[in-house]
Amino acid sequence: MYSIVNPFFFSVVLLNAIHASSQASSSPPLMILGCGLDKGSEKDVDGRTWGPDDKFLQPGGNSIKSKASFQDPSLLDVVPYMSARVFTSETSYKFPVQPDKRYWLRLHFYPSVYGSYNPSESYFSVIANGGVTLLSNFSASITCQALSQAYLDREYSLAPLNTDALTLTFKPNDKSFGFINGIQLIEMPELFDSVAALVGYADQTVEVKSLHLQTMFRLNVGGQYISPKQDSGLSRMWYDDTPYIYGAATGVTNQAEKDVKINYQSMSTSVAPTNVYSTSRSMGNDKNMNMGYNLTWIFQVDPNSMYLARLHFCDYYYSKVNEIVFNIFLNNQTAQTQADVIGWTGGKGVPTYKDYVIYVQDDAGEDQLWLALHPAPDSKPEFYDALLNGVEIFKVNDTNLSGPNPQPSDMLMKAEEDERKFETHKRYNKTVVGSAAGGAAGFALVAAIVCVAVYSKKKRVPGSDTHTSWLPIYGTSQTTGTKSTMSGRSTNSANLTAMAQGLCRYFSLEEIKQATKNFDEPNVIGVGGFGKVYKGVIDNGVKVAVKRSNPQSEQGVNEFQTEIEMLSKLRHKHLVSLIGFCEEDDEMCLVYDYMERGTFREHLYKGNKPLSTLSWKERLEICIGAARGLHYLHTGAKYTIIHRDVKTTNILIDENWSAKVSDFGLSKTGPNMNQGHVSTVVKGSFGYLDPEYFRRQQLTEKSDVYSFGVVLFEALCARPVLNPSLPKEQVSLADWALICKRKGTLEDIIDPYIKGKINPESLKKFADTAEKCLSDHGIDRPSMNDLLWNLEFALNLQENPDGSTKGAARVIDESEFEDIRLGNNDMANHYKNLSLGSEHELSSNEEDSSSNHIASLAYISDPPSLLFII
Ligand SMILES: *[C@@H]1O[C@H](CO)[C@@H](O)[C@H](O)[C@H]1NC(C)=O
Ligand SMILES: *[C@@H]1O[C@H](CO)[C@@H](O)[C@H](O)[C@H]1NC(C)=O
Ligand SMILES: *[C@@H]1O[C@H](CO)[C@@H](O)[C@H](O)[C@H]1NC(C)=O
Ligand SMILES: *[C@@H]1O[C@H](CO)[C@@H](O)[C@H](O)[C@H]1NC(C)=O
Ligand SMILES: *[C@@H]1O[C@H](CO)[C@@H](O)[C@H](O)[C@H]1NC(C)=O
Ligand SMILES: *[C@@H]1O[C@H](CO)[C@@H](O)[C@H](O)[C@H]1NC(C)=O
Ligand SMILES: *[C@@H]1O[C@H](CO)[C@@H](O)[C@H](O)[C@H]1NC(C)=O
Ligand SMILES: *[C@@H]1O[C@H](CO)[C@@H](O)[C@H](O)[C@H]1NC(C)=O
Ligand SMILES: *[C@@H]1O[C@H](CO)[C@@H](O)[C@H](O)[C@H]1NC(C)=O
């Protein structure tokens, strides 16, 4: 995570450089327009200035400026989305361009109600220079709904136009209207002057230089989301590749050691930022395993079209030719034989990319692009492995890049309808409803986009039934899944099973009953909103926690689905891992890693009494672990995931005192939240609830930061977050701690067991940080990343009172490696050798897929989580 800092500053400088040159020249290479802005320019959160669009409009059209009627909570910013230009007849913009330059064109759409214009009635085309169709019969509303996003951005790369102007025409369908919220036009370096091999046609090539492209996918393979600011000057977004990986064979991710420099040599740094090249995904170090599977990504695309796949490579570990050699397949055809990254680049840490063009047919079901890697044994390489650092998929055409509107899935439509029903039903009940059913109504709309778009079509991995140990996955194993009988499975819950099938293990009810001795009461280790949690044993001795749904709870079904879909896609050392699930005869169970040491709270206090068990350092380490888990949720996945129920009973501790965040039943994904109606139901646990979320019903990741601030004070004071037996001002820990902190009497409420043993500097850092988390306004609270840094600093101050910041980083990195070094299996060795960065160490499950040491949720009775209706 420390590496984030440098590229960040680097790219800001680059952006500024572009800005500066844009001001110097008369025809600006950079145009950022907020369409329909009425007054001057506005800055967004990233500091970009969006200017008005008026002066580029051509006479002859009909358009009006309008404001969106509602700001979706996932829009973290007003510009460019809250204002729009609405076109009621064919209207054009004309932008000055350099005839010989390639341009990025980004279009931003937020389908909200604009005055009397309802986005569901909007269908229009967008045409560039009269001849290149970018969109046709386009419905932003349907597209957003299918993606379960509030807004959408389209990115095109237009080949040199040979004229000094770009005309962009918005053409509404009959009796309809068009609209646009933002337009970016950015001159770009020529990144596409390559000649790409046409896959499937020996010795045919495609000249990419003259083609117009639409960006479909851009992934930082084995790494995490890269924001426009962190990009190398072209403000692109690079996403995590995890959601696109086929099946459970995810390989391993790894990161360059800090002392390895990414050396671009003659390649332009604009091609991709160093963050892309310094992380990668490979197959693992077991030769037999690797020979048994293909490392595969699947992308949903429009059929009957050509695609350019640009693969980014950089080997920052090995340095010799013929150490890793592999074949690359696109849609089951060989794109490349004997790829040898070092052979291509000549050395360690030198990046390169390869372009392949493939035609995706219009046959039934052919709307996917498969990218697969497999070791090439013919060349007798030293290791049977394969490697990928980044991938970009572009649609290519010289006249028409448009595709049909997507079809929102039935399941998604149903979920949205349910939520609407629920909300209209409840809206009139303007009372606070207390519910012992731990945050009932987990209407979290499952991370549907990815599942629906990517997973629903998955078939099982061929041959997965016959292999037993090749899946380097976390805590789950498909092999054992095949022992289960697949019959008798009910489909009462919107066919979730089909989606999760490829991702986690399916248990038969019989297996679950065996594991829990037929749900024997003495095995109950907790009760949550969802139902009871049982301790169980599977596979002759592997301890698990089984969460059983209460069959009566209709809402449980939704939480159950959310949890499976969230957890099956997320993996991190500090997130609890889901092993599998059971859905049969109205029974629904989730099976997790068993967490030997229960919840964080159990180690802090019992009733109102501190337990005096954990030292300050141990508490800090647990907080840091949990913060890492949350940081991953907020930034590591494709979408920001907001946990919404951060509390000490949702932080579990394994046998090695490593903290793991659990219970995703209420989680919502950020820009992925459903649009079109206000989410009026505030969910979470009383005592931890972000007041701003409560007041304004706007959910952001800063709500988790607030709750985490409460957790920090709980760790320091070892008392319940709500204690009604105390005088009024002391009832709420969050309020009381802030009062004491401001009065300078915080010392008085510290857990007596640790009081006096905390280094004063460490305490100050910690308390300042916790206080900031509890700021009234989300904007004043630190990000999870800053928080993590501050906690690490506090830990460092405790351990080396005279230490430096540099020390903080070192201490943590080494302690992170510790866990891995201790594991003495192959996977652990592989990790060690590749020197994974802290963000990319996968959980224990990946270290050893066979020895499912697993975790659980909700150990002790949760205090009633409250459900508020406002
Ligand atoms: C370009 O787009 C048109 C319309 O979608 C399609 O029919 C044609 O096959 C495409 N051409 C290529 C080369 O992909
Ligand atoms: C590739 O092969 C697999 C396994 O035979 C098959 O399931 C899949 O549909 C194929 N993909 C394409 C795009 O042809
Ligand atoms: C990997 O993919 C290629 C191309 O689809 C296929 O021929 C091969 O059988 C696959 N190998 C494995 C082990 O699945
Ligand atoms: C472009 O392609 C889309 C989808 O393939 C099609 O519906 C549309 O008619 C085409 N437009 C033109 C101008 O060719
Ligand atoms: C436009 O898109 C809508 C929704 O996808 C579809 O129902 C309609 O048939 C399309 N119209 C044309 C002319 O293609
Ligand atoms: C208010 O809630 C109660 C139960 O929670 C329900 O029976 C009633 O119909 C609700 N009122 C309205 C107006 O929806
Ligand atoms: C679930 O799948 C079954 C068969 O695959 C289908 O008949 C049923 O309609 C589906 N249910 C839902 C809610 O999609
Ligand atoms: C805990 O550490 C031991 C080695 O000390 C290791 O064998 C074990 O797998 C670890 N357990 C977990 C749950 O990570
Ligand atoms: C990793 O390092 C260990 C020694 O530390 C060595 O025995 C092992 O072969 C190495 N593995 C790989 C895949 O390089």
Side-chain angles (χ1 to χ4, degrees):
M1 57 167 293
Y2 297 92
S3 62
I4 292 170
V5 175
N6 295 328
F8 172 82
F9 285 122
F10 173 64
S11 58
V12 168
V13 170
L14 259 175
L15 264 182
N16 285 345
I18 292 176
H19 242 296
S21 68
S22 79
Q23 273 138 16
S25 115
S26 58
S27 53
L30 175 77
M31 223 163 328
I32 302 188
L33 305 177
C35 302
L37 279 186
D38 30 41
K39 45 172 180 17
S41 308
E42 285 188 42
K43 270 206 164 93
D44 66 12
V45 273
D46 291 332
R48 277 182 302 205
T49 305
W50 297 75
D53 61 335
D54 309 67
K55 69 172 174 183
F56 301 104
L57 273 176
Q58 291 299 100
N62 274 315
S63 71
I64 54 161
K65 296 176 181 184
S66 189
K67 293 272 175 248
S69 54
F70 158 68
Q71 182 173 356
D72 187 275
S74 68
L75 291 179
L76 295 177
D77 213 327
V78 172
V79 275
Y81 299 103
M82 289 302 288
S83 54
R85 184 166 293 276
V86 174
F87 306 101
T88 50
S89 73
E90 185 172 329
T91 310
S92 299
Y93 287 102
K94 193 168 180 181
F95 305 111
V97 294
Q98 305 274 353
D100 55 344
K101 291 282 202 259
R102 184 176 273 275
Y103 282 83
W104 286 128
L105 174 65
R106 298 199 179 109
L107 306 178
H108 303 268
F109 301 98
Y110 173 46
S112 175
V113 173
Y114 294 98
S116 58
Y117 297 96
N118 186 333
S120 62
E121 287 153 19
S122 163
Y123 289 90
F124 59 100
S125 303
V126 180
I127 298 143
N129 269 20
V132 186
T133 305
L134 303 180
L135 292 167
S136 68
N137 188 33
F138 172 65
S139 166
S141 171
I142 293 176
T143 310
C144 279
Q145 192 176 25
L147 299 177
S148 186
Q149 280 176 192
Y151 59 92
L152 111 120
D153 304 330
R154 283 283 164 100
E155 183 184 87
Y156 302 90
S157 171
L158 301 176
L161 296 166
N162 299 323
T163 71
D164 57 5
L166 163 67
T167 341
L168 200 60
T169 307
F170 288 78
K171 192 172 168 187
N173 284 13
D174 274 354
K175 302 201 194 76
S176 185
F177 69 95
F179 72 96
I180 180 91
N181 301 84
I183 300 176
Q184 289 186 53
L185 188 63
I186 303 174
E187 185 188 308
M188 57 181 283
E190 184 49 86
L191 299 180
F192 298 103
D193 55 0
S194 64
V195 174
L198 182 59
V199 176
Y201 298 86
D203 41 83
Q204 280 203 46
T205 57
V206 176
E207 216 176 307
V208 185
K209 196 180 172 98
S210 61
L211 295 171
H212 302 300
L213 319 175
Q214 180 194 337
T215 310
M216 306 291 285
F217 302 91
R218 176 175 288 131
L219 309 179
N220 179 12
V221 175
Q224 53 177 322
Y225 170 72
I226 298 173
S227 72
K229 261 184 169 174
Q230 295 166 315
D231 185 36
S232 51
L234 291 174
S235 58
R236 292 163 294 198
M237 287 182 259
W238 299 77
Y239 293 100
D240 173 18
D241 68 318
T242 322
Y244 302 94
I245 294 177
Y246 175 64
T250 62
V252 297
T253 61
N254 38 67
Q255 187 171 32
E257 285 199 61
K258 289 187 181 59
D259 61 356
V260 176
K261 274 243 163 13
I262 302 300
N263 176 1
Y264 283 82
Q265 295 190 342
S266 61
M267 191 170 100
S268 162
T269 54
S270 324
V271 173
T274 51
N275 303 20
V276 169
Y277 291 117
S278 59
T279 60
S280 66
R281 191 178 292 279
S282 55
M283 299 185 80
N285 71 344
D286 184 317
K287 174 176 164 174
N288 296 329
M289 260 192 210
N290 295 352
M291 287 310 292
Y293 82 104
N294 282 346
L295 185 53
T296 307
W297 293 260
I298 301 181
F299 304 98
Q300 209 69 33
V301 295
D302 302 326
N304 186 23
S305 195
M306 277 214 298
Y307 292 89
L308 167 68
R310 169 164 291 188
L311 311 184
H312 296 269
F313 301 98
C314 177
D315 193 331
Y316 42 74
Y317 187 72
Y318 294 113
S319 53
K320 290 207 274 304
V321 172
N322 213 35
E323 282 186 304
I324 293 186
V325 183
F326 53 97
N327 295 332
I328 303 172
F329 305 100
L330 281 168
N331 272 4
N332 297 341
Q333 303 178 64
T334 306
Q336 177 80 51
T337 53
Q338 312 208 338
D340 182 339
V341 178
I342 296 295
W344 285 334
T345 64
K348 180 171 159 179
V350 181
T352 188
Y353 63 85
K354 292 283 164 190
D355 287 342
Y356 305 95
V357 167
I358 181 152
Y359 189 74
V360 176
Q361 311 279 343
D362 197 8
D363 300 341
E366 298 267 332
D367 49 0
Q368 295 181 335
L369 188 58
W370 288 48
L371 165 63
L373 309 181
H374 191 75
D378 311 350
S379 70
K380 302 208 167 29
E382 194 167 342
F383 304 104
Y384 284 14
D385 205 343
L387 165 85
L388 185 65
N389 303 64
V391 57
E392 291 174 281
I393 309 274
F394 303 95
K395 188 176 183 179
V396 298
N397 204 306
D398 48 4
T399 56
N400 190 347
L401 285 165
S402 77
N405 290 316
Q407 203 123 38
S409 81
D410 294 344
M411 178 186 154
L412 194 64
M413 301 284 263
K414 185 173 172 302
E416 290 207 352
E417 195 184 309
D418 284 353
E419 183 164 358
R420 258 193 303 272
K421 267 196 233 144
F422 177 78
E423 285 179 6
T424 35
H425 174 63
K426 295 279 181 173
R427 193 161 298 170
Y428 307 102
N429 273 334
K430 295 203 183 268
T431 45
V432 173
V433 182
S435 146
F443 276 107
L445 231 199
V446 302
I449 160 172
V450 181
C451 302
V452 173
V454 181
Y455 291 134
S456 58
K457 302 224 166 157
K458 280 185 184 170
K459 295 142 216 161
R460 309 200 95 213
V461 184
S464 65
D465 296 3
T466 49
H467 289 85
T468 47
S469 62
W470 52 265
L471 297 168
I473 47 171
Y474 37 95
T476 111
S477 126
Q478 261 186 340
T479 28
T480 17
T482 56
K483 281 195 303 205
S484 316
T485 44
M486 290 305 217
S487 58
R489 192 194 296 185
S490 80
T491 48
N492 58 352
S493 63
N495 290 351
L496 164 97
T497 342
M499 296 198 291
Q501 199 169 302
L503 292 165
C504 54
R505 169 169 167 185
Y506 179 77
F507 289 89
S508 68
L509 185 56
E510 197 42 49
E511 284 174 289
I512 298 283
K513 283 185 172 161
Q514 239 169 38
T516 59
K517 303 213 179 98
N518 203 10
F519 300 112
D520 197 12
E521 280 302 305
N523 280 349
V524 173
I525 48 176
V527 183
F530 182 88
K532 288 182 177 166
V533 182
Y534 299 80
K535 184 173 170 173
V537 176
I538 59 166
D539 301 346
N540 306 319
V542 179
K543 281 192 242 171
V544 294
V546 176
K547 195 161 138 187
R548 180 194 196 185
S549 86
N550 174 353
Q552 267 77 52
S553 152
E554 190 41 41
Q555 279 130 3
V557 177
N558 292 291
E559 282 187 33
F560 177 82
Q561 295 181 350
T562 309
E563 183 118 12
I564 294 185
E565 298 188 7
M566 291 271 173
L567 272 182
S568 55
K569 280 188 312 239
L570 300 171
R571 30 227 70 155
H572 189 267
K573 192 172 179 227
H574 295 289
L575 296 184
V576 98
S577 21
L578 181 69
I579 302 177
F581 68 100
C582 162
E583 193 191 15
E584 201 174 310
D585 299 345
D586 292 331
E587 280 285 357
M588 292 185 304
C589 298
L590 297 174
V591 182
Y592 302 90
D593 265 327
Y594 181 74
M595 298 286 274
E596 201 67 56
R597 298 187 194 271
T599 70
F600 187 19
R601 182 174 301 168
E602 278 171 64
H603 299 278
L604 290 173
Y605 53 89
K606 188 163 194 175
N608 295 333
K609 297 256 171 354
L611 280 173
S612 310
T613 51
L614 296 175
S615 71
W616 178 236
K617 177 172 174 252
E618 287 163 337
R619 292 178 203 201
L620 271 175
E621 279 167 349
I622 289 168
C623 290
I624 288 170
R628 277 188 201 287
L630 288 172
H631 175 58
Y632 171 78
L633 284 183
H634 289 176
T635 60
K638 177 166 186 188
Y639 299 99
T640 299
I641 293 167
I642 304 170
H643 185 285
R644 298 219 293 181
D645 203 11
V646 174
K647 53 184 177 185
T648 43
T649 44
N650 280 341
I651 297 172
L652 304 180
I653 302 178
D654 75 5
E655 54 178 317
N656 297 329
W657 295 101
S658 173
K660 295 186 196 234
V661 177
S662 80
D663 216 336
F664 296 79
L666 297 182
S667 302
K668 271 234 179 196
T669 49
N672 192 12
M673 287 184 285
N674 61 347
Q675 82 287 0
H677 54 276
V678 199
S679 185
T680 45
V681 189
V682 173
K683 293 161 209 162
S685 295
F686 208 39
Y688 293 93
L689 261 185
D690 169 12
E692 185 175 52
Y693 169 41
F694 188 73
R695 272 196 313 273
R696 301 178 48 203
Q697 299 164 42
Q698 286 195 2
L699 186 65
T700 72
E701 66 268 33
K702 292 295 180 69
S703 301
D704 284 351
V705 173
Y706 181 92
S707 308
F708 197 74
V710 182
V711 167
L712 294 180
F713 278 121
E714 219 178 330
L716 182 67
C717 307
R719 60 152 274 191
V721 291
L722 291 176
N723 183 354
S725 65
L726 290 172
K728 187 160 168 283
E729 78 273 15
Q730 302 187 18
V731 169
S732 156
L733 171 63
D735 294 346
W736 183 232
L738 281 185
I739 293 171
C740 295
K741 171 81 175 52
R742 284 164 196 163
K743 280 199 311 203
T745 59
L746 191 61
E747 288 275 348
D748 302 343
I749 62 166
I750 294 181
D751 179 0
Y753 177 68
I754 52 170
K755 193 170 160 178
K757 295 178 197 155
I758 309 178
N759 168 287
E761 291 293 310
S762 172
L763 176 60
K764 181 165 187 313
K765 188 86 213 159
F766 184 87
D768 286 348
T769 307
E771 182 184 14
K772 280 208 202 82
C773 294
L774 298 188
S775 299
D776 258 347
H777 300 287
I779 199 162
D780 301 325
R781 297 175 202 149
S783 67
M784 225 51 223
N785 190 38
D786 293 341
L787 182 53
L788 193 46
W789 198 89
N790 279 299
L791 292 177
E792 281 164 354
F793 196 50
L795 176 64
N796 188 45
L797 286 168
Q798 179 71 16
E799 297 196 311
N800 328 294
D802 52 353
S804 62
T805 6
K806 244 167 97 200
R810 200 182 55 240
V811 167
I812 295 309
D813 281 350
E814 286 180 0
S815 70
E816 284 262 311
F817 283 123
E818 209 65 44
D819 299 348
I820 289 186
R821 232 175 268 143
L822 291 173
N824 55 358
N825 53 51
D826 290 352
M827 207 59 97
N829 272 331
H830 194 71
Y831 278 133
K832 187 176 109 195
N833 290 5
L834 290 176
S835 178
L836 297 172
S838 53
E839 287 302 314
H840 297 280
E841 282 163 12
L842 295 176
S843 45
S844 44
N845 41 39
E846 283 219 3
E847 288 157 32
D848 181 359
S849 58
S850 59
S851 84
N852 312 336
H853 29 77
I854 314 218
S856 111
L857 300 203
Y859 263 74
I860 55 173
S861 294
D862 280 351
S865 299
L866 297 184
L867 166 69
F868 294 89
I869 313 289
I870 299 171

